[in-house]
Amino acid sequence: MSLRHAVLGLLAESSASGYDLMKLFNASLASVWPATQSQVYGELTKLTTAGLVEVAAHGPRGRKEYAITGDGLAELRHWLTEVEPSGPQRHDGLLRVFFLGIVTPLEAQTFLLHQAERAARTRATLEHLEETAEWDEEMISVYGRIALEYGLRISAMQEEWARWAADEVTSAKARKASELARAQHKGQEGQDEEVRPGEGE
């Protein structure tokens, strides 16, 4: 449902065509809630059917300009003030951390350092955006800058945590846990190696 409210939020500031909305998405919301062109246009159709958005003007070559309706603004306000944010409930990277004992400490450390580098690249991208974007007094700009600060802080924290974790997985306690986990499967790995040579016969 958040794509619906993202579109409503952008239209709450000013009416726009589908093309204009995609430009706004890419300039402001892509790092928070990315959407493809087909998704945005599809959502505009659904919002229009639901009476939350209306076609305010027609232009050349079938261009349509959309505006938020009173019902759409009420829905946006309801979502902002009464609907609890779901938040991230799944994190593929953290899920893997639980099972890093299956691989060697070096492999675990390499994985975590890679995560640190990804976070550093994300922060560098956001810092570039902060320096080059035109931060004016419009709603999306003012509150977009506040949202950007979250990205800057969270990426810095993620990098710091990943580098700390990369040291932790080489500690004596982590090495012992990893050795125990891999020892449980050592016999199975040997059996698998014995089976493989005959597989192609």
Side-chain angles (χ1 to χ4, degrees), residues 47-97:
L47 289 168
T48 303
T49 302
L52 303 180
V53 160
E54 63 184 2
V55 178
H58 291 270
R61 296 183 297 278
R63 182 182 185 274
K64 295 179 182 178
E65 190 168 282
Y66 296 87
I68 192 168
T69 64
D71 286 344
L73 192 56
E75 169 60 26
L76 180 60
R77 286 174 172 161
H78 168 74
W79 177 71
L80 286 167
T81 60
E82 299 181 38
V83 179
E84 190 69 23
S86 59
Q89 297 179 350
R90 294 181 178 178
H91 192 303
D92 181 68
L94 279 180
L95 178 62
R96 297 178 193 213
V97 171

Side-chain angles (χ1 to χ4, degrees), residues 85-157:
S86 59
Q89 297 179 350
R90 294 181 178 178
H91 192 303
D92 181 68
L94 279 180
L95 178 62
R96 297 178 193 213
V97 171
F98 279 92
F99 311 115
L100 285 179
I102 298 299
V103 300
T104 67
L106 178 59
E107 289 171 323
Q109 186 178 54
T110 299
F111 169 79
L112 289 162
L113 289 175
H114 177 65
Q115 301 310 301
E117 291 165 5
R118 284 183 60 186
R121 288 195 299 272
T122 297
R123 181 171 176 80
T125 299
L126 295 175
E127 287 174 341
H128 177 72
L129 177 60
E130 181 183 34
E131 294 168 2
T132 58
E134 296 181 8
W135 302 106
D136 54 34
E137 296 181 355
E138 293 184 357
M139 180 189 73
I140 294 298
S141 184
V142 172
Y143 290 94
R145 176 60 189 80
I146 293 173
L148 178 67
E149 183 64 26
Y150 173 86
L152 289 168
R153 295 188 187 198
I154 202 72
S155 57
M157 181 279 295

Side-chain angles (χ1 to χ4, degrees), residues 11 15-22 41 44 63-66:
L11 291 176
S15 58
S17 67
Y19 175 77
D20 294 332
L21 280 175
M22 280 310 305
Y41 277 84
L44 279 171
R63 182 182 185 274
K64 295 179 182 178
E65 190 168 282
Y66 296 87

